Amino acid sequence: MADINITEKELHAPQGGDGHGHGHDDHHHGDKYQSSFIDRYLFSMDHKTIAKQFLITGMFWAVIGAAMSVIFRLQLGFPDADLSWLQPLLGGWIDVDPASGKGTLSPDFYYALVTMHGTIIVFFVLTAGLSGTFSNLLIPLQIGARDMASPLMNMLSYWFFFLAGVIMFISLFLNTGPFSGGWVAYPPLSALPQASDGSKAGMTLWLLALVFFVVSTLLGGINYISTILNMRTKGMTMFRMPLTIWAFLLTAVLGLLSFPVVTSGFFMLMMDRMLGTSFFLDEIYVAGEALTDRVGGNAILYQHLFWFLGHPEVYIIVLPAMGLVSEVLSVHARKPIFGYKAMVFSILGIGVLSFLVWAHHMYVSGLNPFISNIFVLFTLIIAVPSAVKVFNWIATVWGGNMRYNSASLFSIGFVSLFISGGLTGIFLGNATIDMQQHDTYFVVAHFHTVMGVAAFFGMFSGIYHWFPTMFGRYMNETLGQIHYWGTLITAYAVFGPMHYQGMAGIPRRYYSFDTFQAFNQFDTMNQVITIAAIIAFFLQILFIINFFYSIYRGRKQTEQNPWGGTTLEWTVPINPGHGNWDGPIPEVHRWPYDISRYEDREFVMQNEPLAEGEVDGGH
Amino acid sequence: MSTLNKTVKRIHPKKFALWMGIVGMIMFFSAFTSAYIVRKASANWYNFPLPNEFFYSTIAILGSSLAFYLSKKAYLRADAKTFKGLYFLGFLLGFAFIGLQYAGWESLQAVGIDLVANQSSSFLYLITAAHVLHVMGGVVALVVLAVGLIRGRFDVPTPKRTLKIDLTFTYWHFVDILWLYLLVFFLIQQ
């Protein structure tokens, strides 16, 4: 412990906060704790290394989650195809007919795949992989801090995430399979081990993994908030913070307020599973047998506790993407962000409203229609700050001197997807329309577009843009653009048609539609979707090849500030050490978007003092 | 240079992080008590009086908080003897709280109100047990501090030592106030 304290003191002394020792440490002396491989790459406390750990672990899970979707899409697109070739990978989950030798996907495993795809992508990839990566990378670099408020907590945050991942990974190999009751884990299916194979040990491990995941999110989030609020460099007022930082701040606040609530639900679920309580159970029949001792509970209660996290969670996913996109669009359009303060207040508005809309996931749960009305109202109001943000992104790009590269293209793609997916949200937010559309592919299309693929686009945009900050090299631009155009087209090809399927009433989560004659007309559409999904999957493999190739062989970064950014991460040396700046931390004198605002200068960085009589652009 | 010399005096990051953690814990217990209210509104809910031990435990944890409060004053006066004495008094009262909560559960069990008797008892055990787990977290911090105390590391106040004491006591006062909230909540709900 003593050693750790010394490091932390060294890192923080310039910030003040210990109440002593200011000013004696204006030069960074290197990091004593990166002396060995283990300290440097495994149990690192450097926020930049932890960011890379989050990113690469997130990529690992993204491949697994996406591969699962490809397998269940094969079932949906080609239900009669022979899948015996998947047997080496999936073993017993492929039922092989001894007579014909034809392999089909086990229905139980189909549900497990759908469940795990959702859990993995929502929590491990788009929460930890997105916010974990970029909050860690950018918060200290952009606010001017040597590291996080507590590097130790930061490291623990990653390792709790890792532990959660290991537990979830083990659950994939259980004899009874991983949990298969949907990523929302509604009781009674999740509360009764005898309810299905996936509800046995798979669900126990699912709960355990998610509790560790919550611990990781809280450790990370508390750190992000205290770093942003307490460790900004001199002159970095709240309204001089880049929009990325505002987004990360609100993301962490949402996580801090909502994850504990779902955890309380998880604990009640565990007690129902293991200790015989009936918090969520009442009048249950399993295989025709009444569970007479499990009475008095309320399954809807779990839904409230779950969606009290669940809805803020979608903003936990999309806000960091929004922050990254705001920054990337401004820098590559060579224009200040349009309506900086409107953007900040939209983020705050979304943050507050996100806690008042959760029951719009529960319109068909028997909710009182008058209560539904209130949730409809707030759901529609949240479209206002979202629309303000969209308008401002378009206005930022409008008339800009746009550089079309992988980073900026993915940002534009984000805006496109966010509009396409957001518009269908207005339909679903209305209780009356939702009664019809609920649990159909319309919902699947909506949320995949607005917060699934869109958040991935924000993440890709951030990776292409800040790759030099992370690795001192660039990613391959040609491969990046192939990745962009391919992913954009296939994403729309996958989720566009699903809107029609949903409107026609095709329910989500079904293994097979062969008993529904009316849906036969969509067979070809399902095949197109599956083929598009497979192409999309291989395009992401291309991205991963590009990513790892570029780490070692990419074009080297030679300029400190290659994109002409104005924020502080472009003042650190190429491949910065632990502590970020070799000399003193720069002071901030202006807002972060002084791009193309001066006759004689293309851009002015945040650490440049204001000229005599000049007014800060953000005010 | 000027950046580094002119630092604004802000709350210590660790203290701030603790307060953030407390916010999270408040949300955690708010969820439990909200769920309690929602569930209680439906039928099949048995009311039963709280065991007396819960009131004794309340006195114990309030006493421990008071002892820690006074011990910090003694610490700031560099009165090591009073500090240690009061600290260990608070420490013992903290343990007494956990013991009395356990005794409370035992006496509930004795009259047949066990975990699965009714939703009302399930909630009572769940919420009080979750609280005791949080108290145990505080006990771990108290033990760490006590080890330093026995070795005489806190005889003379320094900012670093004060921070450690502040962090531990702030958390302890929080779990104390949390218990008061829960007790009042249970009493109102009866």
PDB file of all heavy atoms in Angstrom, chain A residues 182-206:
ATOM      1  N   GLY A 182     -33.379 -14.549 -22.237  1.00  0.00           N
ATOM      2  CA  GLY A 182     -33.399 -13.152 -22.692  1.00  0.00           C
ATOM      3  C   GLY A 182     -32.484 -12.296 -21.839  1.00  0.00           C
ATOM      4  O   GLY A 182     -32.332 -12.539 -20.643  1.00  0.00           O
ATOM      5  N   TRP A 183     -31.898 -11.255 -22.456  1.00  0.00           N
ATOM      6  CA  TRP A 183     -30.864 -10.493 -21.733  1.00  0.00           C
ATOM      7  C   TRP A 183     -31.444  -9.722 -20.560  1.00  0.00           C
ATOM      8  O   TRP A 183     -30.711  -9.307 -19.670  1.00  0.00           O
ATOM      9  CB  TRP A 183     -30.107  -9.547 -22.678  1.00  0.00           C
ATOM     10  CG  TRP A 183     -30.851  -8.290 -23.032  1.00  0.00           C
ATOM     11  CD1 TRP A 183     -31.797  -8.156 -23.973  1.00  0.00           C
ATOM     12  CD2 TRP A 183     -30.684  -6.997 -22.437  1.00  0.00           C
ATOM     13  NE1 TRP A 183     -32.249  -6.864 -24.017  1.00  0.00           N
ATOM     14  CE2 TRP A 183     -31.584  -6.131 -23.084  1.00  0.00           C
ATOM     15  CE3 TRP A 183     -29.863  -6.470 -21.426  1.00  0.00           C
ATOM     16  CZ2 TRP A 183     -31.698  -4.778 -22.757  1.00  0.00           C
ATOM     17  CZ3 TRP A 183     -29.988  -5.139 -21.099  1.00  0.00           C
ATOM     18  CH2 TRP A 183     -30.893  -4.296 -21.758  1.00  0.00           C
ATOM     19  N   VAL A 184     -32.776  -9.532 -20.534  1.00  0.00           N
ATOM     20  CA  VAL A 184     -33.390  -8.801 -19.431  1.00  0.00           C
ATOM     21  C   VAL A 184     -33.603  -9.691 -18.213  1.00  0.00           C
ATOM     22  O   VAL A 184     -33.878  -9.195 -17.125  1.00  0.00           O
ATOM     23  CB  VAL A 184     -34.724  -8.180 -19.872  1.00  0.00           C
ATOM     24  CG1 VAL A 184     -34.492  -7.075 -20.871  1.00  0.00           C
ATOM     25  CG2 VAL A 184     -35.638  -9.223 -20.482  1.00  0.00           C
ATOM     26  N   ALA A 185     -33.480 -11.011 -18.409  1.00  0.00           N
ATOM     27  CA  ALA A 185     -33.540 -11.980 -17.301  1.00  0.00           C
ATOM     28  C   ALA A 185     -34.789 -11.841 -16.447  1.00  0.00           C
ATOM     29  O   ALA A 185     -34.724 -11.781 -15.224  1.00  0.00           O
ATOM     30  CB  ALA A 185     -32.280 -11.880 -16.424  1.00  0.00           C
ATOM     31  N   TYR A 186     -35.939 -11.767 -17.103  1.00  0.00           N
ATOM     32  CA  TYR A 186     -37.181 -11.647 -16.340  1.00  0.00           C
ATOM     33  C   TYR A 186     -37.459 -12.920 -15.556  1.00  0.00           C
ATOM     34  O   TYR A 186     -37.325 -14.019 -16.079  1.00  0.00           O
ATOM     35  CB  TYR A 186     -38.362 -11.449 -17.290  1.00  0.00           C
ATOM     36  CG  TYR A 186     -38.538 -10.061 -17.882  1.00  0.00           C
ATOM     37  CD1 TYR A 186     -39.496  -9.841 -18.868  1.00  0.00           C
ATOM     38  CD2 TYR A 186     -37.785  -8.982 -17.443  1.00  0.00           C
ATOM     39  CE1 TYR A 186     -39.684  -8.578 -19.418  1.00  0.00           C
ATOM     40  CE2 TYR A 186     -37.968  -7.724 -17.990  1.00  0.00           C
ATOM     41  CZ  TYR A 186     -38.923  -7.524 -18.978  1.00  0.00           C
ATOM     42  OH  TYR A 186     -39.113  -6.293 -19.520  1.00  0.00           O
ATOM     43  N   PRO A 187     -37.908 -12.762 -14.287  1.00  0.00           N
ATOM     44  CA  PRO A 187     -38.497 -13.912 -13.615  1.00  0.00           C
ATOM     45  C   PRO A 187     -39.909 -14.133 -14.177  1.00  0.00           C
ATOM     46  O   PRO A 187     -40.469 -13.201 -14.742  1.00  0.00           O
ATOM     47  CB  PRO A 187     -38.549 -13.457 -12.157  1.00  0.00           C
ATOM     48  CG  PRO A 187     -38.554 -11.969 -12.195  1.00  0.00           C
ATOM     49  CD  PRO A 187     -37.911 -11.554 -13.482  1.00  0.00           C
ATOM     50  N   PRO A 188     -40.488 -15.281 -14.043  1.00  0.00           N
ATOM     51  CA  PRO A 188     -40.034 -16.435 -13.270  1.00  0.00           C
ATOM     52  C   PRO A 188     -38.979 -17.300 -13.980  1.00  0.00           C
ATOM     53  O   PRO A 188     -38.338 -18.100 -13.319  1.00  0.00           O
ATOM     54  CB  PRO A 188     -41.320 -17.243 -13.081  1.00  0.00           C
ATOM     55  CG  PRO A 188     -42.191 -16.859 -14.219  1.00  0.00           C
ATOM     56  CD  PRO A 188     -41.876 -15.436 -14.513  1.00  0.00           C
ATOM     57  N   LEU A 189     -38.800 -17.116 -15.297  1.00  0.00           N
ATOM     58  CA  LEU A 189     -37.855 -17.996 -15.996  1.00  0.00           C
ATOM     59  C   LEU A 189     -36.470 -17.935 -15.349  1.00  0.00           C
ATOM     60  O   LEU A 189     -35.789 -18.952 -15.200  1.00  0.00           O
ATOM     61  CB  LEU A 189     -37.782 -17.572 -17.464  1.00  0.00           C
ATOM     62  CG  LEU A 189     -37.256 -18.584 -18.462  1.00  0.00           C
ATOM     63  CD1 LEU A 189     -37.931 -19.922 -18.285  1.00  0.00           C
ATOM     64  CD2 LEU A 189     -37.468 -18.060 -19.878  1.00  0.00           C
ATOM     65  N   SER A 190     -36.043 -16.727 -14.956  1.00  0.00           N
ATOM     66  CA  SER A 190     -34.705 -16.588 -14.394  1.00  0.00           C
ATOM     67  C   SER A 190     -34.659 -16.966 -12.922  1.00  0.00           C
ATOM     68  O   SER A 190     -33.588 -17.186 -12.368  1.00  0.00           O
ATOM     69  CB  SER A 190     -34.225 -15.146 -14.564  1.00  0.00           C
ATOM     70  OG  SER A 190     -35.134 -14.277 -13.926  1.00  0.00           O
ATOM     71  N   ALA A 191     -35.830 -17.005 -12.266  1.00  0.00           N
ATOM     72  CA  ALA A 191     -35.829 -17.218 -10.818  1.00  0.00           C
ATOM     73  C   ALA A 191     -35.927 -18.686 -10.430  1.00  0.00           C
ATOM     74  O   ALA A 191     -35.657 -19.032  -9.286  1.00  0.00           O
ATOM     75  CB  ALA A 191     -36.976 -16.436 -10.177  1.00  0.00           C
ATOM     76  N   LEU A 192     -36.328 -19.527 -11.365  1.00  0.00           N
ATOM     77  CA  LEU A 192     -36.543 -20.930 -11.026  1.00  0.00           C
ATOM     78  C   LEU A 192     -35.584 -21.815 -11.812  1.00  0.00           C
ATOM     79  O   LEU A 192     -35.733 -21.983 -13.019  1.00  0.00           O
ATOM     80  CB  LEU A 192     -37.985 -21.331 -11.357  1.00  0.00           C
ATOM     81  CG  LEU A 192     -39.058 -20.653 -10.520  1.00  0.00           C
ATOM     82  CD1 LEU A 192     -40.429 -20.885 -11.117  1.00  0.00           C
ATOM     83  CD2 LEU A 192     -39.007 -21.139  -9.086  1.00  0.00           C
ATOM     84  N   PRO A 193     -34.605 -22.396 -11.147  1.00  0.00           N
ATOM     85  CA  PRO A 193     -33.639 -23.243 -11.860  1.00  0.00           C
ATOM     86  C   PRO A 193     -34.312 -24.380 -12.628  1.00  0.00           C
ATOM     87  O   PRO A 193     -33.808 -24.813 -13.656  1.00  0.00           O
ATOM     88  CB  PRO A 193     -32.749 -23.779 -10.743  1.00  0.00           C
ATOM     89  CG  PRO A 193     -32.882 -22.797  -9.642  1.00  0.00           C
ATOM     90  CD  PRO A 193     -34.263 -22.246  -9.734  1.00  0.00           C
ATOM     91  N   GLN A 194     -35.471 -24.819 -12.138  1.00  0.00           N
ATOM     92  CA  GLN A 194     -36.119 -25.945 -12.829  1.00  0.00           C
ATOM     93  C   GLN A 194     -36.888 -25.495 -14.068  1.00  0.00           C
ATOM     94  O   GLN A 194     -37.444 -26.314 -14.787  1.00  0.00           O
ATOM     95  CB  GLN A 194     -37.052 -26.702 -11.858  1.00  0.00           C
ATOM     96  CG  GLN A 194     -38.253 -25.919 -11.369  1.00  0.00           C
ATOM     97  CD  GLN A 194     -37.978 -25.182 -10.065  1.00  0.00           C
ATOM     98  OE1 GLN A 194     -36.923 -24.589  -9.891  1.00  0.00           O
ATOM     99  NE2 GLN A 194     -38.933 -25.207  -9.149  1.00  0.00           N
ATOM    100  N   ALA A 195     -36.935 -24.176 -14.318  1.00  0.00           N
ATOM    101  CA  ALA A 195     -37.771 -23.683 -15.416  1.00  0.00           C
ATOM    102  C   ALA A 195     -37.213 -24.055 -16.782  1.00  0.00           C
ATOM    103  O   ALA A 195     -37.958 -24.319 -17.711  1.00  0.00           O
ATOM    104  CB  ALA A 195     -37.939 -22.177 -15.296  1.00  0.00           C
ATOM    105  N   SER A 196     -35.897 -24.036 -16.919  1.00  0.00           N
ATOM    106  CA  SER A 196     -35.300 -24.423 -18.206  1.00  0.00           C
ATOM    107  C   SER A 196     -33.837 -24.753 -17.962  1.00  0.00           C
ATOM    108  O   SER A 196     -33.300 -24.454 -16.895  1.00  0.00           O
ATOM    109  CB  SER A 196     -35.409 -23.286 -19.228  1.00  0.00           C
ATOM    110  OG  SER A 196     -34.437 -22.309 -18.964  1.00  0.00           O
ATOM    111  N   ASP A 197     -33.198 -25.339 -18.965  1.00  0.00           N
ATOM    112  CA  ASP A 197     -31.786 -25.702 -18.800  1.00  0.00           C
ATOM    113  C   ASP A 197     -30.933 -24.462 -18.536  1.00  0.00           C
ATOM    114  O   ASP A 197     -30.057 -24.453 -17.674  1.00  0.00           O
ATOM    115  CB  ASP A 197     -31.276 -26.400 -20.063  1.00  0.00           C
ATOM    116  CG  ASP A 197     -31.482 -27.907 -19.955  1.00  0.00           C
ATOM    117  OD1 ASP A 197     -31.910 -28.349 -18.867  1.00  0.00           O
ATOM    118  OD2 ASP A 197     -31.227 -28.608 -20.945  1.00  0.00           O
ATOM    119  N   GLY A 198     -31.218 -23.418 -19.311  1.00  0.00           N
ATOM    120  CA  GLY A 198     -30.425 -22.199 -19.161  1.00  0.00           C
ATOM    121  C   GLY A 198     -30.619 -21.521 -17.818  1.00  0.00           C
ATOM    122  O   GLY A 198     -29.792 -20.726 -17.388  1.00  0.00           O
ATOM    123  N   SER A 199     -31.745 -21.819 -17.139  1.00  0.00           N
ATOM    124  CA  SER A 199     -31.999 -21.182 -15.842  1.00  0.00           C
ATOM    125  C   SER A 199     -31.238 -21.861 -14.714  1.00  0.00           C
ATOM    126  O   SER A 199     -31.307 -21.415 -13.574  1.00  0.00           O
ATOM    127  CB  SER A 199     -33.493 -21.219 -15.525  1.00  0.00           C
ATOM    128  OG  SER A 199     -34.223 -20.646 -16.570  1.00  0.00           O
ATOM    129  N   LYS A 200     -30.525 -22.932 -15.038  1.00  0.00           N
ATOM    130  CA  LYS A 200     -29.782 -23.633 -13.982  1.00  0.00           C
ATOM    131  C   LYS A 200     -28.481 -22.886 -13.701  1.00  0.00           C
ATOM    132  O   LYS A 200     -28.518 -21.684 -13.459  1.00  0.00           O
ATOM    133  CB  LYS A 200     -29.555 -25.085 -14.413  1.00  0.00           C
ATOM    134  CG  LYS A 200     -30.862 -25.883 -14.524  1.00  0.00           C
ATOM    135  CD  LYS A 200     -30.613 -27.356 -14.776  1.00  0.00           C
ATOM    136  CE  LYS A 200     -31.880 -28.172 -14.578  1.00  0.00           C
ATOM    137  NZ  LYS A 200     -32.850 -27.997 -15.711  1.00  0.00           N
ATOM    138  N   ALA A 201     -27.371 -23.571 -13.756  1.00  0.00           N
ATOM    139  CA  ALA A 201     -26.099 -22.930 -13.394  1.00  0.00           C
ATOM    140  C   ALA A 201     -25.793 -21.727 -14.293  1.00  0.00           C
ATOM    141  O   ALA A 201     -25.151 -20.764 -13.867  1.00  0.00           O
ATOM    142  CB  ALA A 201     -24.969 -23.949 -13.503  1.00  0.00           C
ATOM    143  N   GLY A 202     -26.275 -21.764 -15.537  1.00  0.00           N
ATOM    144  CA  GLY A 202     -26.023 -20.652 -16.451  1.00  0.00           C
ATOM    145  C   GLY A 202     -26.511 -19.342 -15.882  1.00  0.00           C
ATOM    146  O   GLY A 202     -25.835 -18.319 -15.950  1.00  0.00           O
ATOM    147  N   MET A 203     -27.708 -19.363 -15.282  1.00  0.00           N
ATOM    148  CA  MET A 203     -28.265 -18.130 -14.725  1.00  0.00           C
ATOM    149  C   MET A 203     -27.509 -17.700 -13.476  1.00  0.00           C
ATOM    150  O   MET A 203     -27.315 -16.518 -13.232  1.00  0.00           O
ATOM    151  CB  MET A 203     -29.750 -18.350 -14.405  1.00  0.00           C
ATOM    152  CG  MET A 203     -30.445 -17.114 -13.860  1.00  0.00           C
ATOM    153  SD  MET A 203     -30.364 -15.739 -15.025  1.00  0.00           S
ATOM    154  CE  MET A 203     -30.785 -14.385 -13.947  1.00  0.00           C
ATOM    155  N   THR A 204     -27.082 -18.694 -12.671  1.00  0.00           N
ATOM    156  CA  THR A 204     -26.313 -18.346 -11.473  1.00  0.00           C
ATOM    157  C   THR A 204     -25.041 -17.597 -11.880  1.00  0.00           C
ATOM    158  O   THR A 204     -24.711 -16.551 -11.308  1.00  0.00           O
ATOM    159  CB  THR A 204     -25.948 -19.627 -10.694  1.00  0.00           C
ATOM    160  OG1 THR A 204     -27.148 -20.356 -10.464  1.00  0.00           O
ATOM    161  CG2 THR A 204     -25.278 -19.302  -9.390  1.00  0.00           C
ATOM    162  N   LEU A 205     -24.357 -18.137 -12.889  1.00  0.00           N
ATOM    163  CA  LEU A 205     -23.122 -17.478 -13.324  1.00  0.00           C
ATOM    164  C   LEU A 205     -23.425 -16.129 -13.970  1.00  0.00           C
ATOM    165  O   LEU A 205     -22.659 -15.184 -13.825  1.00  0.00           O
ATOM    166  CB  LEU A 205     -22.350 -18.377 -14.295  1.00  0.00           C
ATOM    167  CG  LEU A 205     -21.785 -19.666 -13.697  1.00  0.00           C
ATOM    168  CD1 LEU A 205     -20.928 -20.389 -14.718  1.00  0.00           C
ATOM    169  CD2 LEU A 205     -20.979 -19.402 -12.445  1.00  0.00           C
ATOM    170  N   TRP A 206     -24.552 -16.047 -14.673  1.00  0.00           N
ATOM    171  CA  TRP A 206     -24.953 -14.773 -15.293  1.00  0.00           C
ATOM    172  C   TRP A 206     -25.083 -13.697 -14.211  1.00  0.00           C
ATOM    173  O   TRP A 206     -24.548 -12.592 -14.344  1.00  0.00           O
ATOM    174  CB  TRP A 206     -26.283 -14.973 -16.018  1.00  0.00           C
ATOM    175  CG  TRP A 206     -26.753 -13.840 -16.879  1.00  0.00           C
ATOM    176  CD1 TRP A 206     -26.524 -13.715 -18.216  1.00  0.00           C
ATOM    177  CD2 TRP A 206     -27.542 -12.711 -16.494  1.00  0.00           C
ATOM    178  NE1 TRP A 206     -27.129 -12.560 -18.680  1.00  0.00           N
ATOM    179  CE2 TRP A 206     -27.759 -11.928 -17.651  1.00  0.00           C
ATOM    180  CE3 TRP A 206     -28.091 -12.266 -15.293  1.00  0.00           C
ATOM    181  CZ2 TRP A 206     -28.495 -10.739 -17.642  1.00  0.00           C
ATOM    182  CZ3 TRP A 206     -28.817 -11.082 -15.276  1.00  0.00           C
ATOM    183  CH2 TRP A 206     -29.012 -10.332 -16.438  1.00  0.00           C
TER     184      TRP A 206
END
